[in-house]
Amino acid sequence: MASLNVGNLGDYLREQRRTAQLSLRQLADAAGVSNPYLSQIERGLRKPSAEVLQQVAKALRISAETLYVRAGILEEREREELETRAVIVADPSINERQKQVLLQIYDSFRKENGLDAETRGADDITEDGTSTDD
């Protein structure tokens, strides 16, 4: 079976799994995927869905967005924007109205700098920092 072009996702997952001192079987169990399927992902033979990547990221306690970028699901610039938005939404020191205003200001700066063709509002980001556009 030929290797799919999924960047260095498999190598990155293997490295993260080893850093977490987990066997392939342990990670597969924690992520709720089969051991052979996870092995195929690590070897670059399968391109996992965003949902599977999210489960694996949660099991490894790493950012799902990082895996999305490595899998080619999300562009680096989009990931950075999502992470910025997630930090704002998750900040317990400011209230909801302040978060909305801060996100609007952020959007206006991005638009002014030509970085955002479609400006997204704060309502497009869930509490865990993921986009509702997915």
Side-chain angles (χ1 to χ4, degrees):
M1 185 180 275
S3 178
L4 298 174
N5 184 14
V6 291
N8 55 359
L9 174 65
D11 293 336
Y12 181 76
L13 280 177
R14 184 178 300 110
E15 177 185 315
Q16 293 300 310
R17 177 177 57 79
R18 289 178 176 162
T19 300
Q21 298 181 341
L22 293 172
S23 69
L24 191 64
R25 178 164 283 134
Q26 288 170 321
L27 178 56
D29 289 343
V33 298
S34 74
N35 187 31
Y37 182 62
L38 185 58
S39 174
Q40 290 173 347
I41 293 169
E42 282 193 0
R43 290 182 287 139
L45 301 176
R46 296 278 183 159
K47 184 172 182 177
S49 68
E51 183 179 327
V52 168
L53 289 174
Q54 186 174 27
Q55 291 169 232
V56 171
K58 188 174 183 178
L60 287 170
R61 296 186 175 145
I62 62 174
S63 164
E65 287 80 11
T66 300
L67 295 184
Y68 296 161
V69 169
R70 290 186 180 267
I73 295 171
L74 190 65
E75 289 185 29
E76 182 70 22
R77 192 174 71 202
E78 292 174 41
R79 180 185 68 84
E80 291 168 358
E81 179 189 353
L82 284 174
E83 287 177 351
T84 301
R85 291 175 175 283
V87 168
I88 293 169
V89 170
D91 189 336
S93 67
I94 57 177
N95 65 39
E96 291 306 311
R97 176 69 183 133
Q98 292 167 329
K99 291 175 187 180
Q100 293 279 336
V101 171
L102 190 52
L103 287 168
Q104 288 171 352
I105 293 168
Y106 177 68
D107 285 338
S108 70
F109 284 150
R110 288 182 56 80
K111 189 173 184 178
E112 181 179 317
N113 293 335
L115 295 174
D116 226 1
E118 284 183 19
T119 305
R120 287 186 267 199
D123 294 337
D124 295 338
I125 304 296
T126 61
E127 284 187 28
D128 67 354
T130 59
S131 172
T132 57
D133 292 341
D134 295 338

